[in-house]
Amino acid sequence: MSDNKEFEHEVKEEKYLEDLIEYFSAYVSAVISEIFVGIGVNLGLSEKEAYKLAKTDPNKLEKANFFNNVFEKFKNIFKYRIPKFRLKKQVFNNGKPLSEAQWKIINESISKYWKENTQKITEDATVKGFILGRNTSKYRKAKVDNTGKSLSEIIKQERKIPDNFKTAYENYDFKNSEKNAMNRAFSNIAMYVSNTEDGVKQAIRKNITEGINDNKTATEIASDLYWNVQKETGNETAESVRKNWHRIAATEMNSVFEAGILAPYEAEAMEGLKKGKGVYFVRVGGSCDWCLPRQGTLVRLVPLSLVADTGDESLKSMGIEDPYTDIAIWVGKNNVGLKKQDWKICCPAHPHNRASFSPIDLDTQEYDPKLKRVVDKTPKELEKYKIR
């Protein structure tokens, strides 16, 4: 999918999901920053110098957001703490090029620290995101407006939301299809978290190798690592890795949320195939030029087992003749790897996308293009008065 900046300012109606995204993004970003600080210390900078350099964006001559305000905001929900990252051995010495054995020490240290400090929060965010989506589907169906509530308020309302799979399975009556959907969502996010770790390692090796070859000082190399003001070694820095992670966190947490919305209906969709009755949703939200004309699009949920070709969203191609729509959706449907002109109807459709699927009963409900949401149909005797 494209990462065009035109999508960066989309915001989900549900504040509680935005809160979860904000914390997850900030926490992993802080882990990234701490690793780069630790490398700066091993290069020869004092801790004070390393943290000061990491916190101050030389391009703007101002302090960058170093996440403390985010952690303070959510301290009653999340208890995670980020320890210092320090290499046990002095690897960098007198500006000499590093051997493969030395790079192995660095990479193994990063991997150990990364696993210890991202594994649990990734599981926690996945479980919470999925359950928030599941609950949101119920809110929408019952016409309960919780969109303005914070994550803290929703957790109090729901009497806590688990932070791991084991507790979630014990406390919720998940169908097997829901468990499978949540596990797939976790695997997907874990892959992106792992890819971000690789990005950290690549940025560090590239900047240090080129800095040593160019006879730069420890401070100059560290500056390249954090910000790369001169842009001499490409755009692989702590800042670029954090920005890329923020995009991933926002997009993938929305994917988990949407999986939570759709998965509870998958068994009903399977049963509907036998009875000739569909399970329908309407695509709502999304403010970009691609999403706006697709607001209100009616789609039908199909079981993932029915999807032979994920590139084909036609119900007819799946052997389903539907009188209302020919567009199929399924849990996990996405546009990854597709160009914009080839995007399918899904949520999220692109990076930062905040569109969502809202359940609709075609017998009693309809989509109101003015209100941009699903509403009850107006009784025929009142239609001329336009009263709802």
Side-chain angles (χ1 to χ4, degrees):
M1 289 190 290
S2 167
D3 59 353
N4 197 304
K5 289 187 177 181
E6 67 181 296
F7 306 129
E8 288 186 2
H9 302 295
E10 288 196 13
V11 178
K12 202 90 168 183
E13 280 190 345
E14 289 75 21
K15 186 179 186 304
Y16 46 87
L17 177 62
E18 290 299 313
D19 283 351
L20 180 60
I21 292 172
E22 182 182 9
Y23 182 85
F24 187 37
S25 176
Y27 180 87
V28 176
S29 292
V31 172
I32 293 168
S33 294
E34 180 57 36
I35 291 173
F36 279 84
V37 166
I39 295 296
V41 170
N42 204 267
L43 279 166
L45 275 67
S46 67
E47 281 199 357
K48 185 177 180 180
E49 289 174 316
Y51 279 114
K52 182 179 179 181
L53 186 60
K55 289 180 180 181
T56 306
D57 184 347
N59 294 291
K60 301 176 182 177
L61 297 178
E62 61 184 30
K63 285 189 176 181
N65 182 347
F66 221 54
F67 322 113
N68 288 338
N69 59 333
V70 177
F71 297 150
E72 178 67 22
K73 178 179 177 181
F74 298 111
K75 67 180 180 181
N76 293 327
I77 303 175
F78 300 101
K79 306 299 181 183
Y80 301 102
R81 296 292 180 268
I82 299 174
K84 290 181 178 180
F85 172 76
R86 299 293 180 268
L87 296 174
K88 293 182 178 179
K89 295 182 179 180
Q90 185 64 37
V91 177
F92 303 104
N93 185 28
N94 299 324
K96 295 179 181 178
L98 274 64
S99 66
E100 286 303 317
Q102 289 172 311
W103 279 116
K104 184 179 180 182
I105 292 172
I106 294 171
N107 288 334
E108 287 180 349
S109 298
I110 291 173
S111 292
K112 182 175 183 293
Y113 181 84
W114 187 265
K115 182 178 180 180
E116 290 173 350
N117 292 284
T118 63
Q119 195 169 56
K120 193 171 186 338
I121 182 61
T122 301
E123 181 178 357
D124 188 351
T126 301
V127 170
K128 281 187 170 62
F130 187 90
I131 292 175
L132 287 174
R134 190 177 192 259
N135 291 345
T136 297
S137 190
K138 292 180 180 179
Y139 303 153
R140 291 173 180 172
K141 197 168 186 178
K143 301 181 182 65
V144 176
D145 185 7
N146 284 325
T147 54
K149 290 186 177 180
S150 67
L151 180 59
S152 178
E153 289 171 324
I154 288 293
I155 288 176
K156 287 179 182 177
Q157 174 180 301
E158 300 296 334
R159 298 180 183 179
K160 196 174 181 181
I161 296 179
D163 60 5
N164 63 83
F165 289 106
K166 184 176 182 295
T167 306
Y169 293 160
E170 291 171 350
N171 295 349
Y172 287 79
D173 58 339
F174 289 126
K175 302 180 184 72
N176 285 333
S177 58
E178 292 179 273
K179 292 180 181 179
N180 292 336
M182 188 157 60
N183 284 324
R184 287 195 302 271
F186 175 68
S187 296
N188 204 44
I189 289 185
M191 176 192 70
Y192 282 108
V193 171
S194 179
N195 290 346
T196 301
E197 176 194 348
D198 292 340
V200 169
K201 292 175 181 176
Q202 290 165 9
I204 289 171
R205 181 158 187 164
K206 186 176 189 296
N207 281 283
I208 288 176
T209 299
E210 294 187 4
I212 290 174
N213 290 341
D214 292 340
N215 296 315
K216 291 186 176 181
T217 65
T219 301
E220 289 172 331
I221 294 175
S223 182
D224 284 344
L225 277 170
Y226 302 156
W227 307 102
N228 197 357
V229 180
Q230 302 301 323
K231 309 295 181 188
E232 294 173 355
T233 56
N235 192 30
E236 296 177 51
T237 64
E239 179 67 357
S240 67
V241 174
R242 284 194 299 262
K243 284 183 177 179
N244 190 53
W245 164 249
H246 173 68
R247 174 183 61 81
I248 290 170
T251 306
E252 294 309 312
M253 285 310 302
N254 270 283
S255 293
V256 174
F257 182 78
E258 289 301 313
I261 286 176
L262 298 179
Y265 293 91
E266 196 170 32
E268 185 182 342
M270 177 65 83
E271 188 65 23
L273 291 174
K274 303 173 186 176
K275 298 179 179 180
K277 185 177 181 181
V279 176
Y280 300 97
F281 291 81
V282 169
R283 193 176 195 274
V284 296
S287 57
C288 71
D289 63 348
W290 190 88
C291 287
L292 282 173
R294 291 166 178 82
Q295 288 182 358
T297 299
L298 181 69
V299 296
R300 177 172 172 171
L301 179 68
V302 298
L304 183 59
S305 58
L306 198 68
V307 183
D309 179 6
T310 57
D312 188 348
E313 62 182 355
S314 169
L315 288 167
K316 289 188 178 68
S317 69
M318 300 176 190
I320 300 174
E321 292 290 336
D322 192 291
Y324 303 107
T325 181
D326 188 45
I327 302 174
I329 59 167
W330 53 89
V331 178
K333 184 181 181 183
N334 62 71
N335 285 325
V336 174
L338 297 179
K339 293 181 179 179
K340 187 174 181 179
Q341 61 266 28
D342 300 321
W343 286 352
K344 312 296 183 186
I345 298 294
C346 60
C347 296
H350 56 74
H352 300 286
N353 189 208
R354 301 300 204 263
S356 185
F357 287 119
S358 185
I360 183 170
D361 182 337
L362 297 183
D363 292 331
T364 62
Q365 297 176 311
E366 62 188 357
Y367 176 77
D368 188 315
K370 292 183 178 179
L371 297 176
K372 297 183 179 180
R373 60 182 173 86
V374 174
V375 298
D376 290 335
K377 285 183 177 179
T378 304
K380 287 185 178 180
E381 61 270 21
L382 298 180
E383 281 184 354
K384 63 181 179 180
Y385 301 109
K386 295 184 179 180
I387 298 175
R388 290 204 178 278

